[in-house]
Each structure stands twice: as C-alpha cells, then as structure tokens.
C-alpha cells in the first residue's frame, strides 16, 4: 500500500459507509492527510448513514459529499428492480399505455445516482489513484482487480483478498464500531427506498420494519406492486410454454 500511495499526488477513497469501506478507510489511516474521502449522498440516505458520515467528516482531513437526486430520478424513470418486464418499463408504459408502477433495472438507477456522481467526483479531484473497499469474494464488484489501471486511473483494493470475517475481525481489533444495523444485516444500507438487490436485502427489510416502520410500509407497498407487475408477465410466459 505504501509504495502505491506514495506514487500518487491525488488520491480518492470511495466510501459507502459499509464495513468493507470502513476497514479500508482505517487501513489507510497513516495517509489520511493525502486522501480525499468521497461519499455519494443520493438524497435518500438513512438518517443513520447521515450521522455516520458526519462523524467521518469530522474525523478525516479531507471529505467530499457528492450529491445526486435519487427521489427525482425514480419519479421519472421508475422504481429500481432486479426484474423488469418490458411492459413495466418507461417504454412499455408509454407504448402500451398500461397502468401500474414503472420499473427500471437497478444498474441504471445506481449508475445515475451513485456510480456517475462518484466518477465525476474522482475526475473533478484530478485523482490518479482510487482506493476501494471491494473484495474478490463480493457477489457484485467491478472488473477492476488490484493494481488495475484504466484510463490513467490506478486502483488500490486493500481488502481484496479478505473474507467478511477478516474485515469484521480487523475492525474489532482496531476498536472501530460497526454501524448498528450490522447486528441485523450483512450489507451496507444504501438508499431508504431501494427496491432492488433483494438477493441480499431481506435482512435489511426486516431491520427497516423494526427501526423505520413507516418507511418499511411504503417500501413493502412498492415491492408488492413490483411482484404483481412481474407475475403478470410470468403468467404470460407460463401460458406460452406448451
Ligand atoms: S441503491 Fe437502489 S435506490 Fe439507491 S441508487 Fe442504487 S438501485 Fe437506486
């Protein structure tokens, strides 16, 4: 890490507030005075995340809050979903004139509200090194492995080879408190109204029903509407299979 960090003058650490980026932040503690910590506030962050970011901002010398407007994006392009039928897409709703929720694939939503603003912040900082808390074992990750260089940007991934348990052990050993929701979930919180990533968000939904019952009611309403939209297409598919 030292050799890589010392080769660069402008460095961004991409911070989500999850355990992996928290471990990465603390692994880089020696170089905090040379690192810009960037978090993307989508406009739909949990209050717990806002509070965590205020603490991080007070702790590190350089912190930048990039912003997007996920509520406006979702109002225009639809709720993010793991499954999107053409009928329920903006195209489908326009062409067929059907009613029901408009859906978009979650990569489009995360792309517009998290990935693009983060990329813009990295570019605006003139960074040549990006530090990320991504692991080889993660179910979802970019193609960039350790030491990757893309368009003049080098990637440093300090916890790449770590397991979840090693990350938790490291944080515990360093006396770093985990966000409280990790007592109930294994993932970071992301957006309050997210209706995607359901392969890993069932525990988050249960946590929300305890901690934020009103919000949970609205998200559950959306999930049921998504299920109805998807099941309509699944029934058409089922009928067509002989
Ligand atoms: S976490 Fe969910 S709601 Fe937030 S930007 Fe990504 S897909 Fe959209």
């Amino acid at each position: 890490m030292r050799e890589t960090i010392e080769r660069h003058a402008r460095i961004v650490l991409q911070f989500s507030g999850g355990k992996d980026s928290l471990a990465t932040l603390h692994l880089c503690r020696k170089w905090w005075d040379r690192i810009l910590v960037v978090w993307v506030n989508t406009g739909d962050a949990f209050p717990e995340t806002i509070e965590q970011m205020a603490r991080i901002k007070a702790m590190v010398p350089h912190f930048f809050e990039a912003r997007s407007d996920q509520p406006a994006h979702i109002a225009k392009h639809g709720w993010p979903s793991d499954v999107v039928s053409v009928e329920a897409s903006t195209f489908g709703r326009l062409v067929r004139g059907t009613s029901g929720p408009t859906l978009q694939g979650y990569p489009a939503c995360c792309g517009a509200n998290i990935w693009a603003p983060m990329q813009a912040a990295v570019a605006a900082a003139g960074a040549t090194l990006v530090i990320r808390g991504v692991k080889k074992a993660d179910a979802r990750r970019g193609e960039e492995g350790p030491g990757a260089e893309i368009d003049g940007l080098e990637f440093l991934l300090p916890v790449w080879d770590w397991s979840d348990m090693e990350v938790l052990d490291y944080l515990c050993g360093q006396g770093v408190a985990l966000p409280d929701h990790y007592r109930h979930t294994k993932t970071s919180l992301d957006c309050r109204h997210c209706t995607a990533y359901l392969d890993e968000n069932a525990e988050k939904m249960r946590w929300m029903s305890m901690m934020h019952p009103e919000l949970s009611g609205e998200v559950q309403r959306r999930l049921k509407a998504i299920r109805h939209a998807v099941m309509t297409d699944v029934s058409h598919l089922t009928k067509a299979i002989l």
Side-chain angles (χ1 to χ4, degrees):
M1 279 175 63
R2 176 184 298 281
E3 184 275 326
T4 303
I5 288 175
E6 288 182 352
R7 273 193 287 108
H8 293 269
R10 292 180 183 267
I11 305 167
V12 161
L13 188 149
Q14 299 179 334
F15 190 72
S16 70
K19 68 182 190 328
D20 298 335
S21 66
L22 199 54
T24 300
L25 179 68
H26 283 273
L27 279 165
C28 294
R29 192 183 292 125
K30 269 186 237 166
W31 301 283
W32 278 357
D33 59 334
R34 304 188 48 226
I35 293 173
L36 176 66
V37 178
V38 177
W39 168 58
V40 179
N41 182 347
T42 62
D44 194 32
F46 280 87
E48 290 87 345
T49 305
I50 305 269
E51 285 168 20
Q52 180 196 24
M53 293 304 163
R55 289 194 298 274
I56 299 291
K57 187 176 180 179
M59 188 171 78
V60 300
H62 312 292
F63 184 92
F64 178 67
E65 180 178 322
R67 286 178 179 255
S68 59
D69 190 350
Q70 177 259 43
H73 175 89
I74 282 179
K76 185 171 179 189
H77 299 283
W79 298 334
S81 177
D82 299 325
V83 187
V84 180
S85 66
V86 174
E87 183 87 12
S89 68
T90 46
F91 172 83
R93 295 292 181 219
L94 182 73
V95 170
R96 300 260 293 160
T98 50
S99 60
T102 302
L103 307 181
Q104 62 173 317
Y106 71 79
C109 187
C110 264
N113 294 295
I114 298 179
W115 304 334
M118 179 59 85
Q119 207 174 340
V122 168
T128 54
L129 178 67
V130 164
I131 306 176
R132 276 184 190 160
V134 64
K135 309 195 303 306
K136 186 167 57 182
D138 287 341
R140 292 181 178 83
R141 57 176 169 80
E143 287 177 11
E144 303 89 6
E149 247 192 274
I150 299 172
D151 297 332
L153 201 56
E154 188 173 350
F155 291 83
L156 178 63
L157 315 175
V159 297
W160 177 255
D161 288 313
W162 292 23
S163 64
D164 285 337
M165 194 49 72
E166 285 171 313
V167 169
L168 294 172
D169 284 349
Y170 170 76
L171 289 170
C172 181
Q174 296 293 309
V176 179
L178 266 183
D180 192 59
H181 68 86
Y182 276 107
R183 288 196 294 126
H184 304 274
T185 73
K186 295 186 186 69
T187 60
S188 55
L189 289 178
D190 295 324
C191 298
R192 292 161 68 239
H193 291 86
C194 190
T195 42
Y197 299 104
L198 299 182
D199 57 321
E200 55 186 33
N201 272 344
E203 289 171 332
K204 175 184 157 188
M205 296 302 168
R206 279 191 281 279
W207 172 82
M208 276 171 57
S209 71
M210 292 187 292
M211 303 302 292
H212 301 281
E214 204 170 314
L215 170 66
S216 170
E218 172 57 18
V219 172
Q220 288 298 311
R221 182 186 73 78
R222 295 185 188 190
L223 289 175
K224 285 171 190 162
I226 291 172
R227 179 175 62 184
H228 180 75
V230 169
M231 290 310 288
T232 301
D233 269 330
V234 170
S235 75
H236 297 157
L237 183 63
T238 303
K239 277 186 217 151
I241 294 174
L242 304 177

